[in-house]
Every structure is written in structure tokens, then in C-alpha cells.
Amino acid sequence: MGIKLQPKYCACGCGGFCKGKWIPGHDQRLRAAIENEVGGLVELRRIVEERLHRSIEFDQTDTRKHWYSN
Ligand SMILES: [Zn+2]
């Protein structure tokens, strides 16, 4: 009856077991596969925003600072 971590199926669907949500590297593998399927991260963003009916918000402060500092 201990609180033991049960091995779980990897979230990517490969059928492998892992302690966390992913077998190390499989989250990146899935992300790359999704990006490849839809035609890139920009296209993926467009699809998700279409589905959400809103823009995906994220912190662009550092980027702006970087691009416009010189
Ligand atoms: Zn996996």
C-alpha cells in the first residue's frame, strides 16, 4: 500500500514504459513528428490557434529586446 511510482506507458504511444510521462527524448521526437506532419512549428501554431479561436500568447519580451537593441 505504499505510494510507489508505477511505471506508465510513454505518452508518445510507443508502448514503452517510463517513470514520468515520457521516455527521455520521446517528447522531442513526438514534437518533431508533429511539426514535420503539419509543415513546421509556425503551421502548427496556426492550426492550434484556429482550433482555439484565439492567439497563443507567450512572452516575446526578450526577443523584442534582442532584435531591436542595436
Ligand atoms: Zn515513447
Side-chain angles (χ1 to χ4, degrees):
M1 288 267 291
I3 309 168
K4 222 165 108 182
L5 265 178
Q6 293 292 322
K8 288 180 269 187
Y9 281 116
C10 174
C12 86
C14 66
F17 285 110
C18 51
K19 281 181 187 170
K21 194 172 182 178
W22 306 93
I23 290 172
H26 283 207
D27 52 340
Q28 296 302 319
R29 217 171 64 166
L30 177 61
R31 187 186 53 75
I34 292 170
E35 282 180 24
N36 187 53
E37 187 70 31
V38 298
L41 189 57
V42 173
E43 193 64 14
L44 175 61
R45 179 194 192 181
R46 193 188 62 76
I47 290 167
V48 173
E49 286 181 342
E50 224 173 69
R51 174 70 175 80
L52 296 173
H53 301 290
R54 62 173 173 80
S55 296
I56 295 171
E57 288 173 20
F58 59 101
D59 187 8
Q60 295 172 312
T61 319
D62 289 343
T63 314
R64 286 198 188 115
K65 209 183 290 174
H66 177 73
W67 285 112
Y68 296 118
S69 58
N70 293 320

